[in-house]
């Protein structure tokens, strides 16, 4: 009922400055953007909204992660200070496995969307970057553009078009 919002559950996690969340199935994937020592990608079981259960986390090479997108058994994470796209295998919610990362053409990435075999990312270097992520062990830069972009913050892909919000 949109006229009466009801809180179902919450969990105190000792995470500082959570910036991104993605829900897929019975799990919530949360990004912690803490400045030091590392940020984290965390998985929570939300199958019972009244009792949220932490499952796993990783801070592997995550220097202030900013956003997360989940597609299939993989989580794609923007690493804001590390200027990276990270891929994590989340097929076992109790154990997150690092697959690959790249920093090609990225500076302070903030927006991410995965469609098919491509990841689309925006960054504060005024770029929209496209990466082939069909092999999660090896990210391949495909193209980028900076035409008419000024601090692009998010991207959404539908069909053959990428829609970018830019400052």
């Amino acid at each position: 009922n949109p006229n009466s919002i009801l809180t179902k559950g919450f969990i105190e996690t000792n995470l500082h400055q959570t910036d991104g969340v993605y829900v897929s199935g019975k799990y919530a994937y949360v990004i912690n953007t803490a400045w030091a020592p590392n940020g984290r990608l965390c998985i929570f079981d939300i199958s019972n909204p009244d009792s949220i259960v932490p499952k796993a986390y990783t801070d592997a090479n995550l220097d202030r992660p900013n956003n997360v997108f989940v597609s299939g058994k993989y989580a794609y994470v923007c690493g804001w200070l590390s200027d990276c796209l990270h891929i994590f295998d989340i097929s076992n919610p109790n154990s997150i496995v690092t697959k690959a990362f790249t920093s090609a053409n990225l500076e302070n990435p903030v927006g991410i969307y995965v469609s098919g075999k491509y990841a689309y990312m925006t960054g504060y270097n005024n770029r929209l970057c496209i990466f082939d992520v069909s092999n999660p062990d090896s990210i391949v830069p495909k193209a980028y553009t900076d035409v008419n972009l000024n601090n692009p913050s998010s991207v959404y892909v539908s069909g053959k078009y990428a829609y970018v919000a830019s400052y």
Side-chain angles (χ1 to χ4, degrees), residues 86-102:
H86 301 266
I87 301 177
F88 297 97
D89 183 334
I90 53 168
S91 58
N92 175 358
N94 295 309
S95 177
I96 301 170
V97 178
T98 300
K99 297 302 284 181
F101 68 94
T102 186

Side-chain angles (χ1 to χ4, degrees), residues 2 15 28-29 33 37 62 71 104 106-107 120 142 154:
L15 294 178
Y29 303 86
T33 62
L62 288 174
S71 181
L106 294 172
E107 183 181 319
Y120 303 80
K142 296 304 283 182
S154 64

